[in-house]
Amino acid sequence: MRKNILFKALLGLVFGFLISCDNTTDDPINQNKTTTPNNNSGGGGTTITGPRILSKTTGNGATVEEFITNAGILDKGIFTDASTPNSFFTGTATYTANKISKIKFVGSNGAGYDFDISYDTNGRISGTTSNLLTGTILTGKSDFFYTYDSAGKITKIIEKKKMGAGGIIPSVYSQFTENTLTYTGDNITKVVSVMGATDNSGNPQPGGSLATTFNFTNYDSKINPYTTLPKTFFLVYSLIHPANFYRLSSNNVGNLSFAYPAPAPSISVDMAYQYDTQNYPISSQNQTGKYIYKAL
């Protein structure tokens, strides 16, 4: 299973905005780097008072995440992987009838995921499939199944996996990941992610499973900047890295607390923000991290 790989990636991706970043390297994500110290601009010095979209986040002056948009439509998200120097994780979206129908995520090492997304008549995600790739070589396939509550919120996502090697994928399932989501209002407060083995039909087998609990608490009442971008993009991103499910919440998380399977240590980080007059966060409380927007 991918637990050790995911643990490193989780540390790198979710905390990229919280830690010191190397801003001495001339890498692609920094080509549009801005040093403008304004608090709610699109990076060009003009104050935004109306609709906006998140353009990038920075940490200690270096770009941590960048979102490439065209006329308010997200084309690509680029994430710095702080667990590996000069490494990025890039997601490219494809649209059908104004909805994201495909997302391809690729890391700097060539490994990635190719997702296909389908919707029901109510516009909710009804199913997702993905191919796990190493370069151009197929190493796994996954089917995702969604459960909704009466309010239309996703409460459970089950991934059933077929893992192979050298492009040869068996016809039966062998692994699963089950994410169970808990809400308070429109904020996700807890995700329990369980990984383990299945029988050939994809039914979890008793014993041997690994559970990780992600707690997202102490939300503020302001606008989560990630909600200015498509929710589907961050939902799929969170299928790879469940530590990021809080990006689907309406407000801004105040504490991230993760309990990983032993012997990995538990992690707890407090978050605090400064806001503009439109109730958008513009920086971390100590101003080492910043949110930069584009006007719509």
Side-chain angles (χ1 to χ4, degrees):
M1 289 186 291
R2 295 172 288 159
K3 195 62 188 180
N4 291 335
I5 297 173
L6 283 179
F7 177 67
K8 284 185 64 180
L10 288 169
L11 290 178
L13 289 165
V14 77
F15 295 114
F17 187 49
L18 306 178
I19 64 174
S20 298
C21 300
D22 178 7
N23 60 358
T24 63
T25 303
D26 186 15
D27 52 46
I29 202 170
N30 284 321
Q31 286 179 354
N32 297 318
K33 181 174 149 183
T34 177
T35 57
T36 305
N38 57 49
N39 56 13
N40 66 342
S41 78
T46 302
T47 298
I48 300 173
T49 58
R52 72 194 65 196
I53 194 167
L54 183 63
S55 176
K56 65 175 69 175
T57 64
T58 67
N60 292 329
T63 302
V64 175
E65 306 167 318
E66 186 163 7
F67 302 102
I68 310 302
T69 58
N70 182 19
I73 303 299
L74 176 66
D75 292 327
K76 186 179 296 185
I78 307 171
F79 305 87
T80 300
D81 181 358
S83 67
T84 305
N86 302 318
S87 182
F88 306 97
F89 196 61
T90 301
T92 303
T94 300
Y95 293 79
T96 301
N98 298 319
K99 288 184 177 293
I100 294 178
S101 55
K102 296 178 180 289
I103 307 176
K104 186 170 186 177
F105 285 99
V106 180
S108 295
N109 61 358
Y113 304 80
D114 204 347
F115 288 90
D116 285 283
I117 305 153
S118 56
Y119 300 85
D120 62 21
T121 56
N122 295 316
R124 304 183 308 187
I125 294 177
S126 57
T128 307
T129 61
S130 76
N131 292 328
L132 177 62
L133 302 166
T134 301
T136 59
I137 300 175
L138 182 64
T139 57
K141 286 178 170 287
S142 291
D143 297 309
F144 295 83
F145 304 88
Y146 296 82
T147 300
Y148 291 85
D149 65 13
S150 59
K153 296 175 182 175
I154 296 173
T155 57
K156 185 174 293 186
I157 306 170
I158 298 176
E159 176 188 7
K160 297 181 181 181
K161 312 171 191 176
K162 302 172 183 176
M163 303 302 294
I168 301 174
I169 307 301
S171 60
V172 297
Y173 296 112
S174 59
Q175 299 176 19
F176 79 96
T177 298
E178 180 179 283
N179 291 308
T180 302
L181 286 66
T182 300
Y183 297 79
T184 297
D186 291 326
N187 295 320
I188 296 174
T189 53
K190 182 167 71 172
V191 175
V192 178
S193 184
V194 180
M195 304 175 71
T198 72
D199 62 19
N200 289 346
S201 298
N203 300 308
Q205 293 296 284
S209 61
L210 298 171
T212 301
T213 299
F214 304 93
N215 289 299
F216 312 115
T217 56
N218 299 342
Y219 281 92
D220 63 17
S221 59
K222 311 297 185 181
I223 301 170
N224 178 354
Y226 296 103
T227 62
T228 66
L229 296 161
K231 180 172 286 190
T232 298
F233 183 85
F234 289 108
L235 173 64
V236 174
Y237 179 58
S238 298
L239 296 178
I240 305 170
H241 301 295
N244 291 282
F245 267 110
Y246 71 93
R247 296 176 186 229
L248 302 175
S249 297
S250 293
N251 306 120
N252 300 290
V253 67
N255 177 267
L256 305 170
S257 179
F258 305 152
Y260 294 99
S266 297
I267 296 172
S268 180
V269 175
D270 290 322
M271 303 279 285
Y273 310 87
Q274 293 188 3
Y275 309 91
D276 67 11
T277 57
Q278 309 298 311
N279 290 325
Y280 288 90
I282 53 177
S283 72
S284 58
Q285 193 64 43
N286 59 10
Q287 298 193 40
T288 58
K290 296 185 182 297
Y291 299 92
I292 300 172
Y293 303 88
K294 288 170 58 176
L296 292 177

